[in-house]
Amino acid sequence: MNTTTPTASRSATQMLVINALFVALTLVATMFINIRLPIMGNGGLIHLGNIPLFLAAMIYGRKTGAIAGAFGMGLFDLISGWTAWAPFTFVIVGAMGFVAGLISEKLPTRPVIANTVAVIAALVIKIVGYYFAEVILYHNWVIPLGSIPGNILQVVVAGIIVVPFAGRLKKIAQKY
């Protein structure tokens, strides 16, 4: 016997579709909109996957942000041959999406400020998380420093693109 109401089922179905959409958008933006730079360590891949990740987090909240980041970029690592990175990416980028969404949810009356703080928090998570992931993978404390400029560039570019529009897009999404 189904005890859920049609409204609850529809809402759950809508969120499933939205989560899947943002996973796919994050995967595609990471996979097909990227540039490899000749920087030591793993800092040579610049991609735009953080844009749909931040949109998911800022519009739909921490759960959707975490799902989009963890699964979208984690799948990229698995599909593109960066398999050793997939567990680290799942945790690090999932945390980025979760924290960005959480901050955005906690300061809804000031979306530009909240989303700017969310991007900064995500940047810190990315830098620290990937630094230690590279220390583990490369067994070296110096080589991972080469990834920091690329990580900063990825997140800052995504923030510049997303922050001005995320508040307005959230209002539009709430209408539907």
Side-chain angles (χ1 to χ4, degrees):
M1 181 176 183
N2 186 359
T3 59
T4 60
T5 64
T7 306
S9 296
R10 194 180 102 215
S11 178
T13 303
Q14 284 177 335
M15 287 313 300
L16 177 66
V17 170
I18 288 166
N19 290 338
L21 174 68
F22 277 105
V23 167
L25 289 171
T26 302
L27 171 62
V28 167
T30 305
M31 184 167 281
F32 297 113
I33 309 171
N34 67 55
I35 301 168
R36 291 191 186 253
L37 300 174
I39 300 174
M40 70 178 189
N42 193 35
L45 182 67
I46 305 295
H47 60 77
L48 295 181
N50 291 303
I51 293 171
L53 162 68
F54 288 149
L55 285 172
M58 293 171 188
I59 295 170
Y60 294 102
R62 59 185 168 217
K63 290 178 186 175
T64 301
I67 290 168
F71 288 99
M73 288 195 203
L75 282 171
F76 166 77
D77 285 349
L78 292 174
I79 292 169
S80 66
W82 300 53
T83 310
W85 291 94
F88 297 107
T89 296
F90 188 87
V91 172
I92 295 164
V93 184
M96 287 172 57
F98 184 87
V99 170
L102 179 66
I103 292 169
S104 186
E105 289 171 4
K106 295 296 180 186
L107 298 169
T109 58
R110 301 225 189 250
V112 173
I113 293 170
N115 294 338
T116 301
V117 172
V119 168
I120 293 167
L123 175 61
V124 171
I125 292 167
K126 185 170 197 114
I127 290 171
V128 172
Y130 277 111
Y131 177 82
F132 285 107
E134 288 186 50
V135 166
I136 292 167
L137 291 173
Y138 295 138
H139 306 288
N140 188 302
W141 292 91
V142 177
I143 291 174
L145 295 173
S147 297
I148 294 173
N151 289 335
I152 291 170
L153 184 61
Q154 281 180 37
V155 174
V156 168
V157 167
I160 290 169
I161 293 169
V162 170
V163 167
F165 303 107
R168 287 182 230 143
L169 291 173
K170 185 174 186 172
K171 286 180 184 176
I172 292 169
Q174 288 172 341
K175 290 181 183 177
Y176 302 100

